[in-house]
Amino acid sequence: MKIAVLGSGAWGTALATHAGREHAVSLWSRDAAQAQAMQADRVNARYLPDCPFSDGLTVTAAPLGAWLQDMDLVVIATPMRALRQVLTDVSPWVQARVPVVWLCKGFEAGADGMGRMGHEVCAQVAPQLLGGVLSGPSFAQEVAMGQPAALVAASAHASVRETLVQAFHRGNLRVYANADVVGVEVGGAVKNVLAIATGLCDGLKLGLNARAALITRGLAEMTRLGVALGAHSETFMGLSGLGDLVLTATGDLSRNRQVGLALAQGLTVAQAVEALGHVAEGLDCARTVVQRANQLGVEMPIAQSVVGLLDGALSPQQAVAQLMGRDAKQEL
């Protein structure tokens, strides 16, 4: 199988390295100098310096164009804010039968104030593509090193799900198929916002009871939004819901959790991002998640508090007080 992975960040590189142990993988970078260095050194020194490339992986910075016509699978590994442009760029070149899937987790911040999921962006700019998403609880470093992990391949098209399983289900990486694209994308987006809240909770040393309550009530928020958007509630008890939430909220490799920890220490959002040095998708999509929820009349108090914190309307202590001061209610 010939696979193109578009985006040479940590996660794109990790999946390319994994797939390159069995398939021919072209890892695309926008930066020609970076691509040349990675191809020569056989490692992504910036993001995964301790994870050498597999033999089947080659790096290219060639413009997105005719070379994509030879691919059996195209994987977009950019942040959510770049998805629209990359879909637009690749759509004229991809064969009609070839799946185009994305790894980004979030809601696009549209100019109209409408936060859109990946499949909604694809429907707008490239509706003819066979689209899908690969998601689930996964730290790039561990996947690149070959440690055990499980992902979910979601698409409305059975052929896309089957191709993703064929491409990535091997060794210590399991890939489960799921037709609930909405549920998988909502889980991947909202868990990043909740991870910021959990990092804040742990940074303030509020205790393990507080962490458990926050994760559990966060899962309830995620499920409410997903069901309102047409997802199946059981999806949120799976890999892209509970699984990804637990990993991102509690694992110290989580960028979004690190943002919350930094905010608890008194850093500003700008200082937290600078210290992180990587993209934290929860920062980009928190407002769009809450906007989408408000449009649907879905209550998401934890996500709303995160937005207040990021906007500077709430201090960390005020965010906690706002959540704890809410009126008593039924759990479900």
Side-chain angles (χ1 to χ4, degrees), residues 1-23:
M1 180 183 293
K2 294 182 178 179
I3 303 171
V5 177
L6 309 181
S8 57
W11 189 216
T13 300
L15 275 182
T17 298
H18 171 78
R21 297 178 181 126
E22 183 170 336
H23 305 291

PDB file of all heavy atoms in Angstrom, residues 1-23:
ATOM      1  N   MET A   1       0.841  -1.195   0.000  1.00  0.00           N
ATOM      2  CA  MET A   1       0.000   0.000   0.000  1.00  0.00           C
ATOM      3  C   MET A   1       0.880   1.250   0.000  1.00  0.00           C
ATOM      4  O   MET A   1       1.893   1.297   0.698  1.00  0.00           O
ATOM      5  CB  MET A   1      -0.913   0.010   1.232  1.00  0.00           C
ATOM      6  CG  MET A   1      -1.838   1.230   1.313  1.00  0.00           C
ATOM      7  SD  MET A   1      -2.863   1.263   2.819  1.00  0.00           S
ATOM      8  CE  MET A   1      -3.934  -0.137   2.531  1.00  0.00           C
ATOM      9  N   LYS A   2       0.500   2.264  -0.798  1.00  0.00           N
ATOM     10  CA  LYS A   2       1.198   3.544  -0.825  1.00  0.00           C
ATOM     11  C   LYS A   2       0.387   4.570  -0.037  1.00  0.00           C
ATOM     12  O   LYS A   2      -0.790   4.784  -0.331  1.00  0.00           O
ATOM     13  CB  LYS A   2       1.392   4.020  -2.258  1.00  0.00           C
ATOM     14  CG  LYS A   2       2.328   3.150  -3.087  1.00  0.00           C
ATOM     15  CD  LYS A   2       2.501   3.725  -4.476  1.00  0.00           C
ATOM     16  CE  LYS A   2       3.465   2.887  -5.301  1.00  0.00           C
ATOM     17  NZ  LYS A   2       3.623   3.438  -6.673  1.00  0.00           N
ATOM     18  N   ILE A   3       1.034   5.175   0.951  1.00  0.00           N
ATOM     19  CA  ILE A   3       0.345   6.085   1.861  1.00  0.00           C
ATOM     20  C   ILE A   3       1.064   7.427   1.867  1.00  0.00           C
ATOM     21  O   ILE A   3       2.296   7.484   1.983  1.00  0.00           O
ATOM     22  CB  ILE A   3       0.317   5.513   3.295  1.00  0.00           C
ATOM     23  CG1 ILE A   3      -0.352   4.138   3.316  1.00  0.00           C
ATOM     24  CG2 ILE A   3      -0.396   6.472   4.244  1.00  0.00           C
ATOM     25  CD1 ILE A   3      -0.221   3.415   4.645  1.00  0.00           C
ATOM     26  N   ALA A   4       0.307   8.505   1.759  1.00  0.00           N
ATOM     27  CA  ALA A   4       0.850   9.850   1.931  1.00  0.00           C
ATOM     28  C   ALA A   4       0.375  10.394   3.266  1.00  0.00           C
ATOM     29  O   ALA A   4      -0.827  10.387   3.549  1.00  0.00           O
ATOM     30  CB  ALA A   4       0.397  10.761   0.804  1.00  0.00           C
ATOM     31  N   VAL A   5       1.299  10.858   4.088  1.00  0.00           N
ATOM     32  CA  VAL A   5       0.973  11.504   5.358  1.00  0.00           C
ATOM     33  C   VAL A   5       1.374  12.967   5.219  1.00  0.00           C
ATOM     34  O   VAL A   5       2.562  13.281   5.096  1.00  0.00           O
ATOM     35  CB  VAL A   5       1.697  10.848   6.548  1.00  0.00           C
ATOM     36  CG1 VAL A   5       1.381  11.598   7.837  1.00  0.00           C
ATOM     37  CG2 VAL A   5       1.296   9.380   6.671  1.00  0.00           C
ATOM     38  N   LEU A   6       0.391  13.844   5.229  1.00  0.00           N
ATOM     39  CA  LEU A   6       0.620  15.267   4.965  1.00  0.00           C
ATOM     40  C   LEU A   6       0.702  16.025   6.274  1.00  0.00           C
ATOM     41  O   LEU A   6      -0.303  16.323   6.912  1.00  0.00           O
ATOM     42  CB  LEU A   6      -0.509  15.813   4.079  1.00  0.00           C
ATOM     43  CG  LEU A   6      -0.805  15.005   2.807  1.00  0.00           C
ATOM     44  CD1 LEU A   6      -1.920  15.665   2.008  1.00  0.00           C
ATOM     45  CD2 LEU A   6       0.445  14.822   1.961  1.00  0.00           C
ATOM     46  N   GLY A   7       1.904  16.333   6.685  1.00  0.00           N
ATOM     47  CA  GLY A   7       2.146  17.010   7.956  1.00  0.00           C
ATOM     48  C   GLY A   7       3.176  16.245   8.758  1.00  0.00           C
ATOM     49  O   GLY A   7       2.979  15.060   9.070  1.00  0.00           O
ATOM     50  N   SER A   8       4.293  16.909   9.084  1.00  0.00           N
ATOM     51  CA  SER A   8       5.406  16.224   9.740  1.00  0.00           C
ATOM     52  C   SER A   8       5.564  16.631  11.193  1.00  0.00           C
ATOM     53  O   SER A   8       6.681  16.713  11.717  1.00  0.00           O
ATOM     54  CB  SER A   8       6.708  16.508   8.976  1.00  0.00           C
ATOM     55  OG  SER A   8       6.947  17.905   8.895  1.00  0.00           O
ATOM     56  N   GLY A   9       4.426  16.899  11.856  1.00  0.00           N
ATOM     57  CA  GLY A   9       4.456  17.100  13.299  1.00  0.00           C
ATOM     58  C   GLY A   9       4.638  15.771  14.000  1.00  0.00           C
ATOM     59  O   GLY A   9       4.894  14.731  13.374  1.00  0.00           O
ATOM     60  N   ALA A  10       4.470  15.769  15.312  1.00  0.00           N
ATOM     61  CA  ALA A  10       4.724  14.559  16.096  1.00  0.00           C
ATOM     62  C   ALA A  10       3.800  13.413  15.703  1.00  0.00           C
ATOM     63  O   ALA A  10       4.246  12.281  15.476  1.00  0.00           O
ATOM     64  CB  ALA A  10       4.587  14.872  17.585  1.00  0.00           C
ATOM     65  N   TRP A  11       2.499  13.695  15.602  1.00  0.00           N
ATOM     66  CA  TRP A  11       1.553  12.607  15.366  1.00  0.00           C
ATOM     67  C   TRP A  11       1.642  12.086  13.936  1.00  0.00           C
ATOM     68  O   TRP A  11       1.616  10.887  13.689  1.00  0.00           O
ATOM     69  CB  TRP A  11       0.151  13.071  15.704  1.00  0.00           C
ATOM     70  CG  TRP A  11      -0.920  12.010  15.710  1.00  0.00           C
ATOM     71  CD1 TRP A  11      -2.208  12.175  15.307  1.00  0.00           C
ATOM     72  CD2 TRP A  11      -0.835  10.656  16.169  1.00  0.00           C
ATOM     73  NE1 TRP A  11      -2.920  11.002  15.465  1.00  0.00           N
ATOM     74  CE2 TRP A  11      -2.089  10.059  15.993  1.00  0.00           C
ATOM     75  CE3 TRP A  11       0.206   9.878  16.690  1.00  0.00           C
ATOM     76  CZ2 TRP A  11      -2.361   8.725  16.316  1.00  0.00           C
ATOM     77  CZ3 TRP A  11      -0.048   8.547  17.012  1.00  0.00           C
ATOM     78  CH2 TRP A  11      -1.314   7.988  16.834  1.00  0.00           C
ATOM     79  N   GLY A  12       1.773  12.983  12.965  1.00  0.00           N
ATOM     80  CA  GLY A  12       1.944  12.540  11.592  1.00  0.00           C
ATOM     81  C   GLY A  12       3.194  11.699  11.433  1.00  0.00           C
ATOM     82  O   GLY A  12       3.181  10.649  10.771  1.00  0.00           O
ATOM     83  N   THR A  13       4.288  12.130  12.042  1.00  0.00           N
ATOM     84  CA  THR A  13       5.540  11.383  11.967  1.00  0.00           C
ATOM     85  C   THR A  13       5.415  10.027  12.639  1.00  0.00           C
ATOM     86  O   THR A  13       5.914   9.021  12.128  1.00  0.00           O
ATOM     87  CB  THR A  13       6.673  12.188  12.629  1.00  0.00           C
ATOM     88  OG1 THR A  13       6.816  13.444  11.948  1.00  0.00           O
ATOM     89  CG2 THR A  13       7.990  11.437  12.573  1.00  0.00           C
ATOM     90  N   ALA A  14       4.735   9.985  13.781  1.00  0.00           N
ATOM     91  CA  ALA A  14       4.577   8.719  14.502  1.00  0.00           C
ATOM     92  C   ALA A  14       3.801   7.701  13.674  1.00  0.00           C
ATOM     93  O   ALA A  14       4.198   6.529  13.562  1.00  0.00           O
ATOM     94  CB  ALA A  14       3.879   8.959  15.834  1.00  0.00           C
ATOM     95  N   LEU A  15       2.695   8.116  13.081  1.00  0.00           N
ATOM     96  CA  LEU A  15       1.903   7.190  12.276  1.00  0.00           C
ATOM     97  C   LEU A  15       2.642   6.787  11.005  1.00  0.00           C
ATOM     98  O   LEU A  15       2.554   5.641  10.561  1.00  0.00           O
ATOM     99  CB  LEU A  15       0.552   7.806  11.926  1.00  0.00           C
ATOM    100  CG  LEU A  15      -0.551   7.640  12.969  1.00  0.00           C
ATOM    101  CD1 LEU A  15      -1.840   8.266  12.473  1.00  0.00           C
ATOM    102  CD2 LEU A  15      -0.793   6.174  13.308  1.00  0.00           C
ATOM    103  N   ALA A  16       3.357   7.734  10.405  1.00  0.00           N
ATOM    104  CA  ALA A  16       4.143   7.411   9.226  1.00  0.00           C
ATOM    105  C   ALA A  16       5.221   6.390   9.557  1.00  0.00           C
ATOM    106  O   ALA A  16       5.476   5.456   8.777  1.00  0.00           O
ATOM    107  CB  ALA A  16       4.758   8.681   8.645  1.00  0.00           C
ATOM    108  N   THR A  17       5.876   6.552  10.696  1.00  0.00           N
ATOM    109  CA  THR A  17       6.895   5.608  11.136  1.00  0.00           C
ATOM    110  C   THR A  17       6.293   4.227  11.363  1.00  0.00           C
ATOM    111  O   THR A  17       6.860   3.210  10.941  1.00  0.00           O
ATOM    112  CB  THR A  17       7.567   6.117  12.424  1.00  0.00           C
ATOM    113  OG1 THR A  17       8.222   7.354  12.151  1.00  0.00           O
ATOM    114  CG2 THR A  17       8.575   5.117  12.953  1.00  0.00           C
ATOM    115  N   HIS A  18       5.130   4.196  12.016  1.00  0.00           N
ATOM    116  CA  HIS A  18       4.462   2.915  12.263  1.00  0.00           C
ATOM    117  C   HIS A  18       4.086   2.237  10.953  1.00  0.00           C
ATOM    118  O   HIS A  18       4.403   1.063  10.726  1.00  0.00           O
ATOM    119  CB  HIS A  18       3.218   3.136  13.123  1.00  0.00           C
ATOM    120  CG  HIS A  18       2.358   1.923  13.242  1.00  0.00           C
ATOM    121  ND1 HIS A  18       2.657   0.876  14.087  1.00  0.00           N
ATOM    122  CD2 HIS A  18       1.203   1.569  12.596  1.00  0.00           C
ATOM    123  CE1 HIS A  18       1.734  -0.064  13.965  1.00  0.00           C
ATOM    124  NE2 HIS A  18       0.843   0.334  13.075  1.00  0.00           N
ATOM    125  N   ALA A  19       3.408   2.969  10.063  1.00  0.00           N
ATOM    126  CA  ALA A  19       2.952   2.379   8.804  1.00  0.00           C
ATOM    127  C   ALA A  19       4.123   1.999   7.909  1.00  0.00           C
ATOM    128  O   ALA A  19       4.043   1.030   7.138  1.00  0.00           O
ATOM    129  CB  ALA A  19       2.035   3.351   8.071  1.00  0.00           C
ATOM    130  N   GLY A  20       5.223   2.727   8.003  1.00  0.00           N
ATOM    131  CA  GLY A  20       6.389   2.467   7.181  1.00  0.00           C
ATOM    132  C   GLY A  20       7.097   1.172   7.498  1.00  0.00           C
ATOM    133  O   GLY A  20       8.020   0.770   6.777  1.00  0.00           O
ATOM    134  N   ARG A  21       6.694   0.507   8.558  1.00  0.00           N
ATOM    135  CA  ARG A  21       7.256  -0.812   8.864  1.00  0.00           C
ATOM    136  C   ARG A  21       6.686  -1.890   7.951  1.00  0.00           C
ATOM    137  O   ARG A  21       7.230  -2.995   7.904  1.00  0.00           O
ATOM    138  CB  ARG A  21       6.994  -1.158  10.330  1.00  0.00           C
ATOM    139  CG  ARG A  21       7.691  -0.197  11.306  1.00  0.00           C
ATOM    140  CD  ARG A  21       7.401  -0.500  12.759  1.00  0.00           C
ATOM    141  NE  ARG A  21       8.093   0.473  13.621  1.00  0.00           N
ATOM    142  CZ  ARG A  21       7.503   1.210  14.545  1.00  0.00           C
ATOM    143  NH1 ARG A  21       6.210   1.084  14.759  1.00  0.00           N
ATOM    144  NH2 ARG A  21       8.201   2.070  15.261  1.00  0.00           N
ATOM    145  N   GLU A  22       5.598  -1.551   7.248  1.00  0.00           N
ATOM    146  CA  GLU A  22       4.966  -2.520   6.351  1.00  0.00           C
ATOM    147  C   GLU A  22       4.632  -1.941   4.980  1.00  0.00           C
ATOM    148  O   GLU A  22       4.611  -2.667   3.988  1.00  0.00           O
ATOM    149  CB  GLU A  22       3.685  -3.060   6.999  1.00  0.00           C
ATOM    150  CG  GLU A  22       2.983  -4.136   6.193  1.00  0.00           C
ATOM    151  CD  GLU A  22       1.869  -4.799   6.968  1.00  0.00           C
ATOM    152  OE1 GLU A  22       1.913  -4.789   8.220  1.00  0.00           O
ATOM    153  OE2 GLU A  22       0.945  -5.331   6.331  1.00  0.00           O
ATOM    154  N   HIS A  23       4.376  -0.637   4.899  1.00  0.00           N
ATOM    155  CA  HIS A  23       3.934  -0.015   3.658  1.00  0.00           C
ATOM    156  C   HIS A  23       4.946   1.031   3.184  1.00  0.00           C
ATOM    157  O   HIS A  23       5.866   1.411   3.923  1.00  0.00           O
ATOM    158  CB  HIS A  23       2.567   0.657   3.870  1.00  0.00           C
ATOM    159  CG  HIS A  23       1.521  -0.259   4.403  1.00  0.00           C
ATOM    160  ND1 HIS A  23       0.985  -1.290   3.672  1.00  0.00           N
ATOM    161  CD2 HIS A  23       0.914  -0.307   5.632  1.00  0.00           C
ATOM    162  CE1 HIS A  23       0.075  -1.927   4.398  1.00  0.00           C
ATOM    163  NE2 HIS A  23       0.025  -1.356   5.596  1.00  0.00           N
TER     164      HIS A  23
END
